[in-house]
């Protein structure tokens, strides 16, 4: 019987061409030297393959002399290893993510783009003149508030030319949305308090927002003309019942057919030691709490366990996945999404990153602390995306 290592290159290439995920191709190449050398025709597609589980796209280097500025590192939760991807389109761009895509803006003009970081597909979006938080002052790009903070889609793949596809973003305290091909953004109005997060409920076909006073607002973004769209308040988290009168930070995501999950985040700030903060930053997360809101009867309940789910929070649309393959169940994976405190720090910051275990409130490290430090372009989670390797459009 012939050895596996003696398989013909044509057969190996056909096998390798069937892989849909990056990790599977890497495992294939590691079987033996003959397999690694034979699968030559499919190696060029490896960087386009999605990962089986979420990726953490790391911040780019703080030094302009870095020879790898056209590349970004991605941390693989499934294996604890790094993946390096050529991505010059994201260099010195502000990025947020949803459904495996990046929404990027530059520092010289009001443009915005969607970029798929693996295939490097690009889609132009309307210019950002509608957003009051940015303007030109003596030819300098100015950012106000928390700038571009969140993006969500109404469906996962913008390339399907779905007429109901929308891009929705929070910029400062303004929400805007657009269709692909629109010449401008449309405004969304109608809430009280400061915006914390947005999510699109794919089963209910509704947009939802949460504010600092714990209020949930709803809007049907698929109806009507170009805007503005007015949101309606559904409910407010009972402050006395749950001891949450004002939220420091909160995240919102779809939680089954008829529910939303709101995750609150509490941070502890640290005092200065002389003229400098501690090396791990001026604050750290101390606790998360989870609350479920029923869209059917408007009732709130506290969720003590995520079960076999893991939640991902940061400069990305908040999402949950089934645990497994290196992803721990009943956990919240979070990144540091308050970059303002670090903008004047020479070495940056971003130490508030980790994995929170719901069962006992402990926080563990995701990776080496130095890998997720940043100044203005923070690390962020990328959901698994099954978009094929295609040319730019």
């Amino acid at each position: 019987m012939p050895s596996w290592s003696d398989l013909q290159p044509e057969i190996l290439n056909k096998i390798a061409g069937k892989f849909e995920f990056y990790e599977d191709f890497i495992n294939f190449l590691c079987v033996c030297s003959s397999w690694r050398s034979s699968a030559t025709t499919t190696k060029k597609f490896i960087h386009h393959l999605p990962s089986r589980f979420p990726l953490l796209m790391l911040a780019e280097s703080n030094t302009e002399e870095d020879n790898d500025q056209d590349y970004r590192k991605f941390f693989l939760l499934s294996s604890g290893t790094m993946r390096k991807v050529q991505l010059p389109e994201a260099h010195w761009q502000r990025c947020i993510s949803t459904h495996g895509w990046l929404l990027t803006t530059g520092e010289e003009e009001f443009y915005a783009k969607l970029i798929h970081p693996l295939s490097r597909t690009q889609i132009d979006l309307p210019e950002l003149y509608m957003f009051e938080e940015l303007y030109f002052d003596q030819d300098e790009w100015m950012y106000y508030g928390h700038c571009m903070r969140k993006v969500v889609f109404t469906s996962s793949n913008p390339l399907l030319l779905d007429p109901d596809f929308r891009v929705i973003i929070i910029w400062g305290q303004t929400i805007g949305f657009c269709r692909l091909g629109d010449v401008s953004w449309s405004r969304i109005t109608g809430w009280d308090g400061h915006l914390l997060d947005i999510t699109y409920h794919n089963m209910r076909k509704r947009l939802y927002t949460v504010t600092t006073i714990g209020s949930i607002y709803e809007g049907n973004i698929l109806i009507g003309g170009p805007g503005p769209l007015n949101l309606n308040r559904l409910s407010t988290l009972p402050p006395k019942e749950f001891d949450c009168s004002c939220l420091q930070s909160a995240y919102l995501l779809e939680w089954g057919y008829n529910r939303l999950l709101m995750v609150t985040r509490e941070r502890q700030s640290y005092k200065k030691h002389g003229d400098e903060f501690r090396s791990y930053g001026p604050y750290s997360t101390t606790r998360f709490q989870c609350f479920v809101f029923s869209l059917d009867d408007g009732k709130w309940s506290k969720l003590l366990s995520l079960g076999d789910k893991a939640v991902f929070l940061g400069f990305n649309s908040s999402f949950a996945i089934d645990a497994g393959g290196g992803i721990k169940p009943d956990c919240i994976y979070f990144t540091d999404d308050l970059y303002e405190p670090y903008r004047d720090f020479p070495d940056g910051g971003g130490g508030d990153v980790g994995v929170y275990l719901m069962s006992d409130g402990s926080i563990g490290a995701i990776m080496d602390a130095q890998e997720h430090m940043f100044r203005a372009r923070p690390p962020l989670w990328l959901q698994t995306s099954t978009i094929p390797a295609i040319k730019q459009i």
Side-chain angles (χ1 to χ4, degrees):
M1 182 176 179
S3 170
W4 284 101
S5 60
D6 295 331
L7 287 175
Q8 295 298 310
E10 294 81 3
I11 297 176
L12 292 175
N13 280 324
K14 184 165 291 189
I15 295 173
K18 298 293 184 180
F19 293 130
E20 296 182 356
F21 295 100
Y22 175 85
E23 292 89 345
D24 296 336
F25 196 98
I26 292 297
N27 291 335
F28 171 85
L29 295 179
C30 291
V31 170
C32 62
S33 59
S34 63
W35 284 34
R36 186 164 53 252
S37 60
S38 296
T40 54
T41 60
T42 52
K43 282 183 182 178
K44 61 182 178 180
F45 298 113
I46 187 171
H47 296 298
H48 296 158
L49 293 175
S51 284
R52 191 175 294 278
F53 294 103
L55 297 168
L56 182 62
M57 188 178 86
L58 302 183
E60 61 189 332
S61 171
N62 285 334
T63 61
E64 296 185 3
E65 294 77 16
D66 195 322
N67 293 326
D68 291 336
Q69 286 185 351
D70 284 347
Y71 290 82
R72 295 295 283 267
K73 290 181 180 179
F74 295 79
F75 182 72
L76 303 177
L77 284 173
S78 57
S79 61
T81 58
M82 289 291 183
R83 178 178 179 179
K84 196 173 180 180
V85 174
Q86 188 175 15
L87 192 60
E89 295 84 356
H91 180 55
W92 293 118
Q93 308 296 297
R94 291 188 180 272
C95 301
I96 50 179
S97 71
T98 187
H99 291 287
W101 287 76
L102 301 174
L103 191 151
T104 68
T105 63
E107 297 191 356
E108 296 179 355
E109 33 185 307
F110 283 94
Y111 77 84
K113 289 185 178 182
L114 294 177
I115 298 176
H116 193 273
L118 303 182
S119 69
R120 294 172 63 187
T121 302
Q122 298 185 46
I123 301 174
D124 290 327
L125 297 178
E127 294 178 325
L128 299 164
Y129 292 107
M130 186 203 76
F131 296 92
E132 299 172 352
E133 285 78 8
L134 56 90
Y135 67 96
F136 276 109
D137 181 9
Q138 296 180 352
D139 297 325
E140 291 186 11
W141 179 267
M142 304 295 291
Y143 289 85
Y144 275 30
H146 293 295
C147 313
M148 181 177 66
R149 297 188 290 120
K150 292 287 180 174
V151 57
V152 296
F153 294 163
T154 54
S155 59
S156 61
N157 191 346
L159 299 175
L160 296 180
L161 303 180
D162 181 355
D164 289 336
F165 181 82
R166 307 285 190 276
V167 181
I168 309 107
I169 62 173
I170 296 180
W171 194 301
Q173 288 301 308
T174 302
I175 308 179
F177 72 95
C178 72
R179 305 171 181 85
L180 297 186
D182 282 353
V183 296
S184 63
W185 294 82
S186 299
R187 186 181 299 273
I188 299 176
T189 61
W191 67 87
D192 294 317
H194 288 280
L195 293 166
L196 295 178
D197 200 6
I198 53 176
T199 192
Y200 185 76
H201 200 294
N202 287 279
M203 295 183 179
R204 289 291 182 119
K205 304 298 182 183
R206 294 293 187 273
L207 174 71
Y208 295 94
T209 71
V210 60
T211 67
T212 49
I213 57 177
S215 292
I216 302 292
Y217 292 82
E218 179 189 65
N220 186 352
I221 200 168
L222 301 183
I223 64 172
L229 170 70
N230 193 61
L231 300 177
N232 300 310
R233 191 180 72 85
L234 295 183
S235 180
T236 300
L237 182 70
K240 293 184 179 179
E241 182 178 350
F242 297 110
D243 191 26
C244 291
S245 57
C246 186
L247 307 181
Q248 295 180 7
S249 185
Y251 309 85
L252 202 61
L253 60 150
E254 182 177 345
W255 198 249
Y257 175 76
N258 62 346
R259 298 185 297 173
L260 294 171
L261 179 66
M262 185 173 78
V263 182
T264 64
R265 181 175 183 172
E266 300 172 23
R267 296 179 174 94
Q268 176 184 357
S269 297
Y270 298 94
K271 296 180 179 179
K272 286 185 177 182
H273 293 258
D275 294 330
E276 297 182 357
F277 287 106
R278 295 176 186 261
S279 59
Y280 49 79
Y283 57 82
S284 64
T285 294
T286 57
R287 182 174 69 158
F288 289 95
Q289 295 190 83
C290 295
F291 304 93
V292 173
F293 176 67
S294 172
L295 295 167
D296 288 338
D297 57 21
K299 292 183 179 180
W300 290 89
S301 60
K302 188 169 184 177
L303 189 66
L304 299 180
S305 173
L306 298 172
D308 61 355
K309 300 286 186 181
V311 171
F312 291 80
L313 309 175
F315 274 105
N316 53 275
S317 56
S318 307
F319 65 92
I321 65 167
D322 293 329
I327 310 298
K328 300 177 181 179
D330 197 27
C331 285
I332 297 173
Y333 288 81
F334 64 95
T335 60
D336 197 333
D337 56 4
L338 293 179
Y339 61 80
E340 290 292 331
Y342 300 121
R343 295 187 69 181
D344 296 326
F345 279 31
D347 297 326
D352 192 22
V353 176
V355 53
Y356 180 89
L357 185 59
M358 288 287 293
S359 61
D360 61 9
S362 61
I363 297 178
I366 295 176
M367 57 188 302
D368 180 16
Q370 292 301 315
E371 292 285 358
H372 51 66
M373 302 298 280
F374 68 91
R375 293 194 65 189
R377 296 162 187 86
L380 48 83
W381 296 111
L382 288 169
Q383 289 172 260
T384 296
S385 173
T386 56
I387 181 175
I390 54 179
K391 297 180 180 180
Q392 297 181 359
I393 64 173

